[in-house]
Amino acid sequence: MDASAGVRVSDHAFGLLDDGDLPIETADYSNGLIIVMSAGALLYTGIDTGTVHVTLTLAGPPGDIDASWEDVVEASVHAPRGRLRLDSPDNGPVPAVPLLSAEGPGWYRVLACVRGRDRHFDAVHDDPREAYHLWVWPAPPAPATLIRTTDRCGAALRATPAPQQGTGQRTGQRTGDRLDDAIRKATGRPPKG
């Protein structure tokens, strides 16, 4: 099943959130695209604020990945509540897109393909050419796989070491400020003043 939607981005991200949970203190930015957390994940965007185009396929990955995708990353995402949805930090779940965790609570694999992140990096922009295609399917957890990494947007995050395994608190709190601070720290950009 395929679905697509324009998704509102803020603080360089939109989410695949499990029942709206945002345990940002557990975020692993090291693959430069899929910010995996203890529950759900965020997708790191080039624009700071605006709208991007997202297509979702609720099935395993395609046989061939089109060469027009600039970055391609595959990672495991945990949905302990089984309510994984495409989510906008400002607007909440995207109603035009079905539940992504059709098999209920557990682990899912996400293949994310992106193009256009460098076009308006760190700007406020509604650019339909910043596009994402996400494949989501149930699968046991496995390490992230970087298939293609060509854009500059994710380079600084890929240079960030993965966090040490720990217990990390789950606050379930949605806060753009914490997300922005974490991304700015990971990319070495100064805090917003």
Side-chain angles (χ1 to χ4, degrees):
M1 163 191 253
D2 283 350
S4 11
V7 179
R8 187 76 183 157
V9 166
S10 65
D11 298 318
H12 284 280
F14 66 90
L16 301 177
L17 302 183
D18 189 31
D19 208 21
D21 232 359
L22 187 62
I24 194 67
E25 66 282 350
T26 65
D28 176 358
Y29 300 85
S30 63
N31 68 54
L33 177 56
I34 304 172
I35 303 167
V36 177
M37 300 177 292
S38 62
L42 296 169
L43 279 288
Y44 182 66
T45 63
I47 61 171
D48 177 77
T49 304
T51 303
V52 296
H53 182 76
V54 178
T55 299
L56 283 147
T57 301
L58 301 182
D64 293 319
I65 298 170
D66 188 294
S68 69
W69 297 110
E70 294 162 353
D71 273 29
V72 180
V73 173
E74 189 176 305
S76 294
V77 174
H78 192 218
R81 295 181 184 177
R83 304 289 307 154
L84 196 64
R85 300 200 61 103
L86 182 62
D87 201 290
S88 164
D90 289 340
N91 301 329
V94 177
V97 176
L99 184 69
L100 306 179
S101 51
E103 299 290 320
W107 286 93
Y108 290 81
R109 198 68 175 165
V110 176
L111 174 70
C113 298
V114 61
R115 68 175 150 255
R117 289 196 302 173
D118 290 341
R119 187 177 314 270
H120 299 290
F121 183 76
D122 211 22
V124 175
H125 202 278
D126 289 313
D127 184 358
R129 291 175 293 181
E130 184 166 341
Y132 297 77
H133 194 142
L134 309 176
W135 283 263
V136 181
W137 68 97
T145 304
L146 281 67
I147 298 165
R148 185 177 306 139
T149 57
T150 63
D151 69 21
R152 292 183 316 270
C153 177
L157 291 179
R158 285 189 296 275
T160 304
Q164 297 296 316
Q165 292 293 332
T167 58
Q169 290 181 315
R170 290 187 51 162
T171 64
Q173 186 178 22
R174 295 173 154 269
T175 121
D177 290 340
R178 287 178 49 207
L179 173 58
D180 187 59
D181 289 345
I183 289 173
R184 287 179 180 283
K185 180 179 178 184
T187 61
R189 291 185 293 151
K192 285 185 176 177

